[in-house]
Amino acid sequence: MIQDRGHKKWTALMLPEHKDRLQQWALSQEDVSQPVLDEDQLQSINEVLSISLEERRTVEVIYYDQKQYKSTCGQVKRCDLLSGILVLEQPELGWVHITLKNIKDIRLA
């Protein structure tokens, strides 16, 4: 079986601009688009938020930030619909502000 060296054999023929562009392309393959939620998902998020505010339970929030999905846990302190911000309190990090339109999912922990 022939063993190929992959990109190594072509790097000597490439300009630095080409290498940079290939690295950018490789990194952009991991990017995800911002979520668009339907009415059922929004209703589910609303129910979990109201339960967590009433019972002061910890939630896990999955949200979109800088072309990636991130996850964080904390207790919901405030949900401001006018400014569109969800405020979580985490024991180790303090207060975390998350934009409501970037939220993909919320689960009770």
Side-chain angles (χ1 to χ4, degrees):
M1 174 175 240
I2 298 174
Q3 200 164 27
D4 191 16
R5 293 182 295 160
H7 291 292
K8 288 182 183 180
K9 67 180 175 183
W10 298 106
T11 55
L13 300 173
M14 289 185 186
L15 294 173
E17 295 85 14
H18 295 150
K19 290 179 187 178
D20 293 339
R21 196 70 175 126
L22 278 173
Q23 287 175 348
Q24 290 173 0
W25 175 79
L27 291 175
S28 71
Q29 296 301 305
E30 298 173 2
D31 293 349
V32 292
S33 60
Q34 187 166 359
V36 177
L37 303 177
D38 62 5
E39 287 295 320
D40 293 334
Q41 292 170 323
L42 292 173
Q43 182 65 27
S44 173
I45 288 173
N46 188 27
E47 290 172 2
V48 172
L49 278 175
S50 62
I51 290 170
S52 65
L53 279 169
E54 289 174 9
E55 300 176 5
R56 297 180 184 210
R57 293 180 60 184
T58 303
V59 294
E60 177 187 6
V61 180
I62 299 170
Y63 62 99
Y64 179 81
D65 185 34
Q66 298 177 359
K67 299 182 182 181
Q68 293 180 346
Y69 288 124
K70 296 183 179 179
S71 177
T72 187
C73 291
Q75 188 175 9
V76 177
K77 288 299 177 183
R78 185 175 42 157
C79 181
D80 190 358
L81 297 177
L82 291 176
S83 62
I85 293 178
L86 176 69
V87 179
L88 295 176
E89 182 181 13
Q90 296 178 328
E92 63 278 352
L93 297 175
W95 300 86
V96 177
H97 301 320
I98 300 171
T99 307
L100 288 174
K101 68 177 183 175
N102 292 340
I103 293 176
K104 182 182 181 229
D105 194 19
I106 295 181
R107 300 181 199 129
L108 292 172

